[in-house]
Amino acid sequence: PLSPQTRAARVRVGKGDKPVTYEQAHPPHYIAHRKGWLSLHTGNLHGEAGAAERAVEDSFLRRFMFGTFPGLLVDEVVLKRRGNLLVVCALLARALPPNKIYFLVGYAETLLSHFYKCPVRLELQTVPARVVYKYL
Amino acid sequence: NLMGARLAGSHVDTQEPKTNPLVSISDEPETLYKRLSLLVKGHDKAVLDSYEYFAVLAAKELGISVEKVDKPPKTIERFTLLKSVHIYKKHRVQYEMRTHYVCLELKYLTSSTAAVYLEYVQRNLPEGVAMEVKKTKIERIPEHIKKPVWDTLPQVEEAEVKS
């Protein structure tokens, strides 16, 4: 039973003019029910190691993506780890011309591969505007 | 022009058989596995269900007999931490991590079949899912155990008892 005073990962109800995405609108107790996971790796499974390293890598990758695509990220970055491969999935807005986005993608992929010593793949999808789930 | 190309390609088969460089044939007898047990663990039950369907389908296509598909109960790892940075001992936060399991048991495989199946199934392992493999090998009984020891001893003791 949740107390009404919990403030973790919740957007407070306001006047009705604040656009909120599906990810932001759902508080964390909906995670396996209405929400999915943002970062998928085997570190947190029972009897598996390496959860702390993955967490550090995840936070670095999110800040890196937030910095290389300034103002373009519509929703949170989804990270997937398949064996050695790191797949970074992001939703971008169509504010930059495609040539610049291609350069940023190549730059991010090569830099991250050299930094983490593993193949890094960036999978992007462009959206005309931020997908609003509801207004709070 | 296309007809000429087809004829030019076809006469190669009659002269020498095509050997696939990826397939290797060796004369040594293959190790046999009585049981191949795959334990798949994950956080998301839907992902594990779809992976189980995929693995069973792959086994059926390759002709491997599936002994049983077991679903052991989930393990929940819970811990309680302090909610605040400094004081407020009475207010805590509780987190939990759920691990769901699916156990696939395949029987009577050869080493090459097991290698092919495991490679295919492991390459398509979804992210966030881990797998443990246990193989049970069949070996021939060693020669020195086959007959009981008391049969092989010489008959000297009977003569001693009589005298």
Side-chain angles (χ1 to χ4, degrees), chain A residues 52-72:
Chain A
E53 285 91 28
R54 305 295 154 274
V56 167
E57 287 168 19
D58 287 355
S59 69
F60 174 80
L61 280 164
R62 280 174 215 282
R63 284 174 189 239
F64 183 84
M65 294 303 290
F66 185 70
T68 40
F69 298 96
L72 295 174

Side-chain angles (χ1 to χ4, degrees), chain A residues 42 44-46 48 81-82, chain B residues 41 43 77 99 101 127 130:
Chain A
T42 58
N44 284 320
L45 290 170
H46 192 76
E48 304 281 337
R81 283 184 182 82
R82 278 174 221 149
Chain B
K41 322 188 249 197
H43 286 302
E77 207 180 305
T99 313
Y101 302 98
E127 50 281 330

Side-chain angles (χ1 to χ4, degrees), chain B residues 36 38 113-123 131 133 135:
Chain B
L36 189 75
L38 304 170
T113 319
V116 164
Y117 179 72
L118 282 176
E119 164 126 22
Y120 179 58
V121 141
Q122 280 164 3
R123 271 189 196 268
M131 183 155 84
V133 176
K135 301 180 189 170

